[in-house]
Amino acid sequence: MKFDGRTFEIQIVSDIVRDGMCLEAWETSEGRSVQVAEVFYSDISERLAFTAYEKSLPLGLVENMCRTAQERLVPETELTGGN
């Protein structure tokens, strides 16, 4: 996907060391890929955390990552109806 003329790949990965799931953003340019940001969901704390590995990331990328992480990384809670 492109933001501000820059090309990024987004991938979801399992992180067994930190006990959670991660949404990673990699910038691709001239045949290289460099990780520039991540959103991590911790199964222990049940919280999301955003980390940027580079300054001045496009706001559209950050917004897209946060929205996607909330939709794809956070488990849905099952309603039992009180039974």
Side-chain angles (χ1 to χ4, degrees):
M1 60 183 51
K2 289 191 178 270
F3 295 96
D4 296 342
R6 296 165 66 183
T7 304
F8 300 91
E9 293 179 10
I10 306 294
Q11 55 185 300
I12 296 176
V13 298
S14 177
D15 189 328
I16 57 174
V17 173
R18 294 188 289 174
D19 198 12
M21 296 288 291
C22 191
L23 182 75
E24 298 176 342
W26 294 76
E27 184 167 14
T28 57
S29 176
E30 299 176 7
R32 294 181 356 143
S33 290
V34 177
Q35 187 178 2
V36 296
E38 74 171 17
V39 180
F40 178 73
Y41 176 79
S42 170
D43 288 331
I44 297 168
S45 69
E46 298 180 339
R47 293 183 179 202
L48 288 167
F50 177 84
T51 303
Y53 300 119
E54 179 181 297
K55 293 181 180 181
S56 301
L57 292 173
L59 181 60
L61 171 68
V62 176
E63 290 174 333
N64 179 282
M65 289 184 71
C66 292
R67 182 177 50 255
T68 302
Q70 288 173 328
E71 293 170 356
R72 307 268 317 267
L73 299 183
V74 179
E76 293 185 26
T77 56
E78 185 176 321
L79 298 176
T80 62
N83 294 330

